[in-house]
Amino acid sequence: MVPISYDGEITIPIAILSNFVQDILAGYIPAIMTVLIIITLIGTLAAKWVKPAFIQNSSFFTNLFDVSYIWVIARVIGSLFAVAALFKLGPEAVWSENTGGLLLYDLLPVLFAVFLFAGLFLPLLLNFGLLEFFGTLLAKFMRPVFKLPGRSSIDCVASWLGDGTIGVLLTSKQYEEGFYTKREAAIIGTTFSVVSITFSLVVISQVGLGSMFVPFYITILIAGLAAALISPRIPPLSRKPDTYYNGEASKADESIPEGYTPFSWGVTKAVAKARTHTGVAAFFKDGAKNILDMWMGVAPIVMALGTLALIVAEYTPVFQILGMPFIPLLELMQIPEAKAASETLVVGFADMFLPSVIGSGIESEMTRFVVASVSVTQLIYMSEVGGLLLGSKIPVTFLELFIIFIQRTLITLPIIVIAAHIIF
């Protein structure tokens, strides 16, 4: 996660390793991911009806394959879409380069490589005291401001410097291990899975305003902070139960014992956690489990839900219709080409890159700036983070994600428009 300079850019080691693997396996990853999605479906069907001993006797494989029937259906659909996109079978709407093809050839290769290294090295974040140390140091800031434990700051940094997917995976793993309540996990997953700095640059460049990256990024940081302050305090996030994954009531104690400072108590807790480490073999075993959990648990869901969302965005007027209520709001805020801008505001729920692709044809620089900024601060898009959240154990539903997406749009839009008027 430590930012370094590489090829003239600021990035993190996991991103470098991820890009390296994608370059080496460029033409093979779509086929590899298709095979993994099919294997996941076979394992799921076996767990439901054949019940082989290797699944029944392993809590890891039971959790991975013995899922609810709604996820069985999702894995069936994901497998069909993956095969269709790989071999260009069936209706073009399923496998075109703007729907299933986009996911299989553009997104899933990124997830394959990121999951490989994020999963392998995740124990470095979880098992050696880093979260305990920063959790203690930042508890007095994160709890009153964001209603979260201090350790959640690491999830945010992991997203900000690396990728939103890393933050979701880190949060899901900690939720399953009992460090976050249902409410806390839902807040972090939907509020702190921020888009990385590098991808933000891609978005602003897509709308032809790459030279304005600094004011653009300052704008989305301010708007994102406002959403992070407000969203946890209103439904549906505020109504999430404060119970843990196993159903127990919240019992988190972040108080500092007498005789300790936050720093010394953080070090004490970190060292105690590091001492529970049992060796190199256990480290790689945990890493391998994480990789399989990410590949098989998440990829089929992303393929299924992401493709469906993109088909709706590409071949139906649904998102244009949903965007119509924003036209008078944009006109009130004196945004040029309000109708064109309104069509981009809701389509981001399908894929975060779609608004900047559609908005790149808008003549007004101010409007393009607003479109790009809103698309980044909305955070929840089904082709990646939304699919990841639904595929993880984090307790959020599809409807809740859409409501939070609209909330974030309404919270951040006025802030971004004010910034746009100041800048332009």
Side-chain angles (χ1 to χ4, degrees), residues 355-373:
S356 57
V357 171
I358 296 170
S360 61
I362 295 173
E363 287 187 19
S364 168
E365 287 190 352
M366 178 194 286
T367 306
R368 296 204 305 272
F369 180 90
V370 170
V371 167
S373 301

Side-chain angles (χ1 to χ4, degrees), residues 33-108:
M33 290 307 290
T34 301
V35 170
L36 284 171
I37 290 171
I38 292 171
I39 291 173
T40 305
L41 176 61
I42 292 170
T44 302
L45 297 178
K48 285 296 182 186
W49 292 302
V50 181
K51 301 185 185 299
F54 84 93
I55 292 178
Q56 296 283 354
N57 299 332
S58 167
S59 59
F60 171 72
F61 284 120
T62 299
N63 288 332
L64 185 62
F65 294 125
D66 194 4
V67 294
S68 64
Y69 278 102
I70 188 71
W71 293 124
V72 174
I73 294 169
R75 289 178 176 183
V76 171
I77 294 171
S79 298
L80 293 174
F81 284 170
V83 171
L86 184 67
F87 297 106
K88 293 182 170 50
L89 300 174
E92 185 179 352
V94 172
W95 54 259
S96 81
E97 61 181 18
N98 296 320
T99 55
L102 176 70
L103 288 165
L104 188 65
Y105 287 91
D106 291 348
L107 176 61
L108 287 187

Side-chain angles (χ1 to χ4, degrees), residues 29 99 149 153 202 204 206 232 236 239 267 313 327 347 376 392 409 418:
I29 298 181
T99 55
S153 58
V202 172
I204 194 66
Q206 172 63 27
R239 292 184 178 174
V267 171
I327 296 176
V347 75
V376 171
S392 73
T409 305
I418 291 169

Side-chain angles (χ1 to χ4, degrees), residues 326-335 338-339:
F326 287 98
I327 296 176
L329 182 61
L330 290 167
E331 289 176 343
L332 182 66
M333 293 177 176
Q334 298 181 334
I335 294 297
K339 184 180 184 299

